[in-house]
Coordinates of all heavy atoms in Angstrom, one line a residue:
Q1 N 98.7 116.5 82.9 CA 98.1 117.5 82.1 C 97.0 118.3 82.8 O 96.9 119.6 82.7 CB 97.4 116.9 80.8 CG 98.5 116.4 79.8 CD 97.8 115.7 78.6 OE1 96.7 115.2 78.7 NE2 98.5 115.6 77.5
V2 N 96.2 117.6 83.6 CA 95.2 118.3 84.4 C 95.8 119.3 85.4 O 95.4 120.4 85.6 CB 94.3 117.3 85.2 CG1 93.4 118.0 86.1 CG2 93.5 116.4 84.2
K3 N 96.9 118.9 86.1 CA 97.6 119.7 87.0 C 98.2 121.0 86.3 O 98.2 122.1 86.9 CB 98.7 119.0 87.7 CG 98.3 118.1 88.8 CD 98.0 118.9 90.1 CE 97.6 118.0 91.3 NZ 97.3 118.7 92.5
E4 N 98.7 120.8 85.1 CA 99.3 121.9 84.4 C 98.2 122.9 84.0 O 98.5 124.1 84.1 CB 100.0 121.4 83.1 CG 101.3 120.7 83.4 CD 101.9 120.1 82.2 OE1 101.3 120.1 81.1 OE2 103.1 119.6 82.2
Q5 N 97.0 122.4 83.6 CA 96.0 123.3 83.3 C 95.2 123.9 84.4 O 94.8 125.1 84.4 CB 94.9 122.6 82.4 CG 95.3 122.5 80.9 CD 94.1 122.0 80.1 OE1 93.9 120.8 80.0 NE2 93.4 123.0 79.5
F6 N 95.1 123.1 85.5 CA 94.3 123.6 86.7 C 95.1 123.3 87.9 O 94.8 122.3 88.7 CB 93.0 122.8 86.7 CG 92.2 123.0 85.4 CD1 92.1 121.9 84.5 CD2 91.5 124.1 85.1 CE1 91.4 122.0 83.4 CE2 90.8 124.3 84.0 CZ 90.7 123.2 83.1
P7 N 96.2 124.0 88.2 CA 97.0 123.8 89.3 C 96.3 123.8 90.7 O 96.8 123.3 91.7 CB 98.1 124.8 89.2 CG 97.5 125.9 88.3 CD 96.6 125.2 87.4
H8 N 95.2 124.5 90.7 CA 94.5 124.6 92.0 C 93.7 123.4 92.4 O 93.3 123.2 93.5 CB 93.5 125.8 91.9 CG 92.4 125.6 90.9 ND1 92.6 125.7 89.6 CD2 91.1 125.3 91.1 CE1 91.5 125.5 88.9 NE2 90.5 125.3 89.8
L9 N 93.4 122.5 91.4 CA 92.6 121.3 91.6 C 93.4 120.2 92.4 O 94.6 120.0 92.2 CB 92.2 120.7 90.3 CG 91.0 121.2 89.6 CD1 90.7 120.4 88.4 CD2 89.7 121.3 90.5
K10 N 92.7 119.6 93.3 CA 93.2 118.4 94.0 C 92.7 117.2 93.1 O 91.6 117.2 92.6 CB 92.6 118.2 95.4 CG 93.2 119.2 96.4 CD 92.6 119.0 97.7 CE 93.2 120.0 98.7 NZ 92.6 119.8 100.1
I11 N 93.6 116.2 92.9 CA 93.3 115.1 92.0 C 93.5 113.8 92.7 O 94.5 113.5 93.3 CB 94.2 115.1 90.8 CG1 93.9 116.4 90.0 CG2 93.9 113.9 89.9 CD1 94.9 116.6 88.8
G12 N 92.4 113.0 92.6 CA 92.5 111.6 93.1 C 92.6 110.7 91.9 O 92.1 111.0 90.8
K13 N 93.1 109.5 92.1 CA 93.3 108.5 91.0 C 92.9 107.1 91.5 O 93.4 106.7 92.5 CB 94.7 108.6 90.5 CG 95.0 107.7 89.3 CD 94.5 108.4 88.0 CE 95.1 107.7 86.8 NZ 94.6 108.3 85.5
S14 N 92.2 106.4 90.7 CA 91.9 105.0 91.0 C 93.1 104.1 90.6 O 93.6 104.3 89.5 CB 90.6 104.5 90.2 OG 89.5 105.2 90.7
V15 N 93.5 103.2 91.4 CA 94.6 102.3 91.2 C 94.2 100.9 91.6 O 93.4 100.7 92.5 CB 95.9 102.8 91.8 CG1 96.3 104.2 91.3 CG2 95.8 102.8 93.4
H16 N 94.9 99.9 91.1 CA 94.7 98.6 91.4 C 95.9 97.8 91.9 O 95.8 96.6 92.2 CB 94.0 97.8 90.2 CG 92.7 98.4 89.9 ND1 92.6 99.4 88.9 CD2 91.5 98.1 90.3 CE1 91.3 99.7 88.8 NE2 90.6 98.9 89.6
D17 N 97.0 98.5 92.0 CA 98.2 97.9 92.5 C 99.2 99.0 93.0 O 99.0 100.2 92.8 CB 98.9 97.0 91.5 CG 99.1 97.6 90.2 OD1 99.4 98.9 90.1 OD2 99.1 96.9 89.1
Y18 N 100.3 98.5 93.6 CA 101.3 99.5 94.1 C 102.0 100.3 92.9 O 102.2 101.5 93.0 CB 102.4 98.7 94.8 CG 103.6 99.6 95.1 CD1 103.5 100.7 96.0 CD2 104.8 99.4 94.5 CE1 104.6 101.5 96.3 CE2 105.9 100.2 94.7 CZ 105.8 101.2 95.6 OH 106.9 102.0 95.9
A19 N 102.2 99.6 91.8 CA 102.9 100.3 90.7 C 102.0 101.5 90.2 O 102.5 102.6 89.9 CB 103.1 99.3 89.5
G20 N 100.7 101.2 90.1 CA 99.8 102.3 89.7 C 99.7 103.4 90.6 O 99.7 104.6 90.3
A21 N 99.8 103.1 91.9 CA 99.8 104.1 93.0 C 101.0 105.0 92.9 O 101.0 106.2 93.0 CB 99.6 103.5 94.3
K22 N 102.2 104.3 92.7 CA 103.5 105.0 92.7 C 103.5 105.9 91.5 O 104.0 107.1 91.6 CB 104.6 104.0 92.6 CG 106.0 104.6 92.7 CD 107.1 103.6 92.7 CE 108.5 104.2 92.8 NZ 109.5 103.2 92.8
E23 N 103.0 105.5 90.4 CA 103.0 106.3 89.2 C 102.0 107.5 89.3 O 102.4 108.6 88.9 CB 102.5 105.5 88.0 CG 102.5 106.3 86.7 CD 102.0 105.4 85.5 OE1 101.5 104.3 85.7 OE2 102.0 105.9 84.3
A24 N 100.9 107.3 90.0 CA 100.0 108.4 90.2 C 100.6 109.5 91.1 O 100.5 110.7 90.8 CB 98.7 107.8 90.9
E25 N 101.3 109.0 92.1 CA 102.0 110.0 93.0 C 103.0 110.8 92.2 O 103.2 112.0 92.4 CB 102.6 109.3 94.2 CG 103.2 110.3 95.2 CD 103.9 109.7 96.3 OE1 104.9 108.9 96.1 OE2 103.5 109.9 97.5
H26 N 103.8 110.0 91.4 CA 104.9 110.7 90.6 C 104.3 111.8 89.7 O 105.0 112.8 89.5 CB 105.6 109.6 89.8 CG 106.6 110.1 88.9 ND1 107.8 110.6 89.3 CD2 106.6 110.3 87.5 CE1 108.5 111.1 88.3 NE2 107.8 110.9 87.2
H27 N 103.1 111.6 89.2 CA 102.5 112.5 88.3 C 101.7 113.6 88.9 O 101.2 114.5 88.3 CB 101.6 111.8 87.2 CG 102.4 111.0 86.2 ND1 103.4 111.6 85.4 CD2 102.4 109.7 86.0 CE1 103.9 110.6 84.6 NE2 103.4 109.5 84.9
G28 N 101.6 113.6 90.3 CA 101.0 114.7 91.0 C 99.7 114.4 91.6 O 99.0 115.4 92.1
A29 N 99.3 113.2 91.7 CA 98.0 112.9 92.4 C 98.1 113.3 93.9 O 99.1 113.2 94.5 CB 97.7 111.4 92.3

């Protein structure tokens, strides 16, 4: 949602395992 509204922004995401990291990348982190 953030990427759709603000495509110019770079986004980082806190994760605690591989699954969370994979999901974050999939959604555009």
